[in-house]
Amino acid sequence: MRFDFRTSNDIDAQRVALFSPAARLNPGKGVGAPRARVRHPSVQLLDAVMRLAGEHGELISHGERPWASATFHGTRHTITLLFNGKDGAAAVDEFVAALPEHEFTIRGQLVADAVVAEVTHVTLPVERMVVEAEFLLLADG
């Protein structure tokens, strides 16, 4: 299932406010404030990724689908982020370098794989970079 926050009127689209740059800069204001406890693993993953992306990252979409092997089960996630301007380009470099080795803490889940699948760089009319990252979460226990 893929969810595009730019085009949906669904109530879940309000989640994007939790992960917007403005919400991270003003954590006591906006939808979802105060952010007391985040329970669902998808939301915990999104929160951790947005913290890693920093103030220049903006969530565009999140897709989630079940995954299983003979011994494990979990979910695969595809997260697409937008970074604008020269500061955003520098933030992409930091994000791409940090993601594979980042230690995620998600209750009841193990992040088995975190990779950058694609980076698209557009320079005109405004410099912007779109990063697509893929994650494999395994149920812990």
Side-chain angles (χ1 to χ4, degrees), residues 4-78:
D4 189 337
F5 290 100
R6 295 173 298 174
T7 59
S8 178
N9 290 327
D10 193 286
I11 190 79
D12 287 337
Q14 293 180 11
R15 286 185 186 177
V16 76
L18 291 173
F19 309 111
S20 70
R24 288 193 309 277
L25 293 175
N26 301 306
K29 300 176 182 170
V31 175
R35 291 167 31 179
R37 292 194 310 177
V38 179
R39 295 182 183 219
H40 195 276
S42 296
V43 176
Q44 291 180 56
L45 176 64
L46 287 169
D47 187 51
V49 169
M50 294 312 297
R51 289 178 190 276
L52 187 61
E55 66 184 57
H56 297 290
E58 179 181 338
L59 179 64
I60 293 179
S61 67
H62 169 245
E64 176 181 353
R65 63 186 183 277
W67 178 89
S69 71
T71 54
F72 300 104
H73 70 279
T75 52
R76 283 204 171 274
H77 297 260
T78 302

Side-chain angles (χ1 to χ4, degrees), residues 60 80-83 92 118-122 128-132:
I60 293 179
T80 307
L81 304 171
L82 171 67
F83 295 82
V92 167
E118 184 177 351
V119 176
T120 305
H121 188 184
V122 178
R128 60 190 329 180
M129 296 181 83
V130 177
V131 177
E132 186 172 288

